Each structure stands twice: as C-alpha cells, then as structure tokens.
Amino acid sequence: MHIDVAIIGSGPAGLCAAITLAKKQRSVVVLDEQRKAGGKLIGQLHEDPKEGWWIGRQIAEQMQREAEQAGVTFLLQREVWAIEPGWTIKTSGHQDITASYVILATGAQEKPTPVPGWTLPGTMAIGAAQVLNNYERVRPGKRIAIMGVDPLAFTVAQELKLAGAEVVGIFLPPEGLFATEKAKPQSTIGYLSTMAHLAPNPWLRLAGSMAKHQLIQKMGSRFYPKAGMKVFGVPLRLRQALIAIEGANQVEAIQTVKLHRDGKIIKGSEESILVDAVCISGGLLPLVELASSCKTVNIDELGGYVPLHSEEMETSKEKLYVCGNITGIEGAKIAMEQGKLAAMSIEHKMTGSEQAMCDVKMQIDEVERVRKHAAITFMPNLLDGRKKMKQLWDKFQQESRDTYEVR
Ligand SMILES: Cc1cc2nc3c(=O)[nH]c(=O)nc-3n(C[C@H](O)[C@H](O)[C@H](O)COP(=O)(O)OP(=O)(O)OC[C@H]3O[C@@H](n4cnc5c(N)ncnc54)[C@H](O)[C@@H]3O)c2cc1C
C-alpha cells in the first residue's frame, strides 16, 4: 500500500493532521496500537475555567468521524515497530506500508516513581486511573491517595471526586532516585506557582503567583499547614510524603511521614491512612522511540529527549514531521494546533504554493495563541524550551548549509 502521508498516533495531534491533509485530497493512513482512536484524549474530562467542560471521549469520536468522512483510513491495533527512510512503515500487521511523508504523533508516556508496595493490586499510574474512571466508567477505588504533585494529579483528583470517590490527599513522593526536588515541600511550592492559573479561587491564584519568589517559597513551606490545604476540595499535603503502600492481597493503607521544608523526615511522624487505591503521578516523557532516523535533543524544559524540529514541525530527516507531545509535553489543544501545522507544512512542501506558505505562517501564530491561553501547563519553563529548540534548529540549518557549501 503506498500513500501520501502516514501518521503514527491517533491522538489529538495525529487526528487533526489527518483531517487537514485529507481535506486537501491527500491519501492518509493513521496507525495506532490502541483499539480506539483518540490517544490520551479519550480519558480526559475536566472543566476548562473559560470554556466549560472538556469531554475528550466525545471530541475524539467527532474527530474520527470527520477524518473518515474526509477519506482517512484508520489502521487501529497496529503497532509501528520502525520507520525506514523512503518511507517504509514496519508494523505488527503483515503488510508494510510505504508513504511519501510520515508524521510522528506518538505522544507521551508516564514516568514511574516506585514506592514499596507499588505492585499491590489497586496501585496504578495516574493515566490508567484517568482512563478507567472517565472512559471505562469504573471508579478505581472508594478512598484514594495520589502520590506526586503536578497538573495531572490535580486534574485526575478532580475527576475522581466527580465520580464519587473520596480523595484522601495528594502527597509528595518519597525522596530517592526517582524524585529529588519533587520530594521537597519548598521546591514543590515553587513549582506550584507555575500552576497558579489553575487554582480554583482568586486567593489561591494570588498565593500561587506570589510563590514565584524564593522567600515566599521558604515562608510558604514553613507555614504550610501540616494537615494540608484543600484544592478543589482535595487535601494537598505538601508537608507529608507517601513512603509505602500496604495490604495483604490488595491496597489497604498507605504509610506516610511528615516533612521539614527541606524534605527531611520528622522523626516519629509516621501515620497510616486507610485507602483502597493509590494513583502514582510521576510526570510525562515524550515518546521518541520511532524517531531514531532523525536528530534528537535533550531539552529538560520540554520533558527530555525530543526530535530536533523547526517551527513548521519539520525534523532533520527529509519528509519526516512531528507534532503533539513527542515535541514537548503540553495540553491537548496545543497538540491539535501542532497537528494542523505539520499537515499544512507538508501541503506547502508538496505544492510550493504561496497560499500554502501563508497558511503555515498563520498556523504558527495560532499555535502560539493557543499556547498563551492554555488552561494546563505541564512544563513550567516550556517557553524557554521552545526558544532553545529554535536556536538549536537554526544552528543545525546553518551547519547543514556550511557542510553543503564545503562539498
Ligand atoms: C496519562 C496522561 C494523561 C493526560 N491528561 C491530560 C489532560 O487531562 N488534559 C490535557 O490537556 N492533557 C493531558 N495529557 C497530555 C496529553 O498527552 C495531551 O493532551 C494530548 O493527548 C497529546 O496528544 P498527542 O496526539 O501528542 O498524543 P497522545 O494523545 O498521547 O496520542 C498518541 C497516540 O500514539 C499512539 N502510539 C504511540 N506509539 C505508537 C506506536 N509505536 N505504534 C502505534 N501507535 C503508537 C498511542 O497509542 C496514542 O494513541 C495527558 C497525558 C498523559 C500521558
């Protein structure tokens, strides 16, 4: 089978890219290892402070319908093992697919944070809890503890509460190889300041933005109530770490300790809290395994290793494009706009038309606009990361030109 564009990943980025290209009469195949299209979108259910309810499952279904009507072919339950320049797509199906262009829209994966007892049934990654709760409509437990303080923990805590669960608290992880700064109350308060816009009331928003200052972070961590403060009705326990999960055959309780503001344990502060489920939120990593044929760069502000790419979403390898969380961890709305941008850039490459170039320029501005108004910011210094990427891309372009001229 030969097609114009193969898109790997049917999350919001891949779906938007597919719709945009199919509407330009390009032949498009979307491959995804999951049985449903939509990627992480299908588990999302939250209230956007400005735009009301965000029901990911419905949005994904609508986009899949729109894509199919425009002529997109979906190959679901089809894992892509490798892509070879040219492009040949090696999949778990019997037949290879060849395509003139490839878009990698493989999204992100969760980082694990191990804790003693985490293999007990009832312990799960926060993303699994999100899909179970919002998509499968199965509440992960009645009394739930969340370990790890980040935007996903807040989002899912709210979603679990909506489903009728009691969330006993969001706790810090134990300090160790997998959590250093994230295990300290003081640095976590600093990190929280980057999420101030998510706070449910103006007082917390103000406190959050003030916490950008180091002195306030120190004071905040000293005076932060040991019993925690409620965010969306869920106790945020910044001075308490979850150090073990206990139970005979399944989760029955968590062991916690109270912390000094530098993260040191307060002796004799151990407490056992009864729960029947634990969700672990350790952060997200761009999924770059398929990007081995192009250059990748390590930019912490974007989430780790990501393919080197231009503002137009082009990689260092000809006719290979990227969009969505593989380029850096951001919310679904930005992934969608990046998907459209990657598609428009390919259209421009294919036609060379001025109109297509205009579309690309306008879409670059649109990505920026949506980014500026994002309700969820996963990476606190994301804009610095995007700047670094631009500099690295310019350097790469310059070096490629120099090499070409020497030859
Ligand atoms: C657990 C989790 C929860 C999140 N919750 C939220 C939230 O509530 N709100 C929000 O705005 N953002 C959330 N995000 C961020 C989220 O990733 C983006 O919102 C958005 O889904 C990113 O879109 P994407 O298209 O880049 O990737 P994804 O939505 O992750 O889609 C990528 C797709 O690629 C497929 N894929 C990957 N590798 C292969 C392969 N080798 N072969 C075939 N298919 C492959 C996957 O199966 C997946 O369907 C969450 C992220 C994670 C990881």
Side-chain angles (χ1 to χ4, degrees):
M1 184 200 275
H2 184 88
I3 34 131
D4 291 329
V5 188
I7 300 175
I8 303 163
S10 71
L15 283 173
C16 277
I19 294 168
T20 309
L21 282 159
K23 286 188 173 168
K24 298 276 182 198
Q25 319 307 323
R26 303 294 169 197
S27 54
V28 181
V29 166
V30 175
L31 298 115
D32 202 298
E33 63 194 358
Q34 297 296 331
R35 66 189 157 90
K36 285 259 181 199
K40 301 295 178 300
L41 193 55
I42 59 173
Q44 297 174 13
L45 175 77
H46 44 78
E47 202 174 2
D48 187 304
K50 288 180 202 130
E51 291 171 32
W53 282 98
W54 175 257
I55 307 173
R57 175 195 185 130
Q58 280 177 10
I59 299 167
E61 282 167 5
Q62 263 164 22
M63 284 202 290
Q64 184 177 2
R65 262 198 308 277
E66 193 180 343
E68 279 167 346
Q69 277 161 10
V72 174
T73 304
F74 281 87
L75 296 178
L76 299 176
Q77 292 186 294
R78 194 73 77 89
E79 187 181 359
V80 176
W81 291 331
I83 53 166
E84 291 171 358
W87 290 97
T88 303
I89 292 109
K90 304 270 179 195
T91 78
S92 52
H94 296 301
Q95 202 189 1
D96 288 349
I97 295 162
T98 59
S100 306
Y101 288 79
V102 169
I103 299 180
L104 292 178
T106 46
Q109 65 180 19
E110 289 184 71
K111 280 193 252 181
T113 306
V115 59
W118 76 328
T119 51
L120 278 170
T123 307
M124 63 197 83
I126 196 98
Q130 192 181 43
V131 172
L132 198 62
N133 193 66
N134 302 342
Y135 185 73
E136 306 291 352
R137 303 276 197 259
V138 177
R139 201 175 49 199
K142 285 188 183 141
R143 267 176 70 81
I144 305 175
I146 296 179
M147 186 183 87
V149 179
D150 56 34
L152 211 48
F154 290 132
T155 309
V156 177
Q158 207 189 351
E159 293 164 356
L160 293 170
K161 270 199 70 193
L162 274 175
E166 183 189 350
V167 182
V168 298
I170 302 177
F171 300 84
L172 292 184
E175 192 173 358
L177 196 59
F178 292 84
T180 49
E181 290 310 303
K182 280 185 167 186
K184 294 182 183 145
Q186 188 174 322
S187 34
T188 307
I189 286 188
Y191 172 59
L192 281 178
S193 69
T194 63
M195 298 181 232
H197 59 295
L198 280 180
N201 69 49
W203 281 110
L204 282 177
R205 275 200 285 277
L206 180 66
S209 44
M210 282 165 65
K212 286 191 176 98
H213 306 285
Q214 275 229 323
L215 182 67
I216 308 265
Q217 282 174 29
K218 267 193 190 158
M219 284 169 58
S221 53
R222 179 184 298 171
F223 296 116
Y224 194 85
K226 292 208 174 70
M229 245 161 83
K230 288 201 170 174
V231 177
F232 298 115
V234 174
L236 174 58
R237 299 182 188 254
L238 289 185
R239 296 280 304 264
Q240 203 167 358
L242 191 163
I243 54 160
I245 303 169
E246 294 172 337
N249 298 310
Q250 61 181 65
V251 174
E252 290 171 15
I254 51 166
Q255 270 299 329
T256 68
V257 284
K258 299 258 164 53
L259 302 172
H260 291 290
R261 65 169 191 255
D262 60 1
K264 295 223 167 69
I265 293 174
I266 299 175
K267 283 201 183 110
S269 65
E270 294 80 6
E271 187 188 347
S272 179
I273 301 172
L274 293 180
V275 295
D276 58 1
V278 177
C279 305
I280 298 180
S281 191
L284 305 175
L285 268 181
L287 204 56
V288 292
E289 283 156 357
L290 292 177
S292 57
S293 53
C294 66
K295 280 181 191 292
T296 52
V297 287
N298 187 11
I299 302 182
D300 284 344
E301 293 87 341
L302 297 179
Y305 277 94
V306 288
L308 178 67
H309 62 276
S310 68
E311 262 188 319
E312 292 83 11
M313 316 313 285
E314 190 177 5
T315 69
S316 61
K317 197 82 195 166
E318 212 189 344
K319 300 189 178 179
L320 179 64
Y321 288 70
V322 282
C323 55
N325 277 195
I326 187 177
T327 73
I329 308 298
E330 298 190 75
K333 288 186 181 168
I334 299 163
M336 287 162 139
E337 297 307 326
Q338 286 183 323
K340 291 179 202 163
L341 176 56
M344 288 175 186
S345 297
I346 291 178
E347 187 60 23
H348 175 232
K349 264 273 151 47
M350 283 174 150
T351 61
S353 85
E354 268 188 33
Q355 180 57 51
M357 193 169 75
C358 252
D359 291 345
V360 170
K361 283 195 176 142
M362 279 166 58
Q363 188 58 24
I364 290 175
D365 292 344
E366 186 59 12
V367 172
E368 283 312 312
R369 194 191 63 78
V370 174
R371 183 169 284 142
K372 209 167 138 197
H373 296 102
I376 302 180
T377 308
F378 289 89
M379 306 304 298
N381 301 313
L382 183 112
L383 292 181
D384 294 337
R386 292 282 169 214
K387 259 188 220 150
K388 276 189 193 169
M389 177 60 80
K390 190 167 178 336
Q391 286 161 0
L392 288 169
W393 178 261
D394 290 346
K395 192 167 164 237
F396 164 72
Q397 289 289 85
Q398 187 57 48
E399 281 168 4
S400 313
R401 270 195 294 273
D402 292 348
T403 318
Y404 184 73
E405 275 160 22
V406 170
R407 271 195 211 140

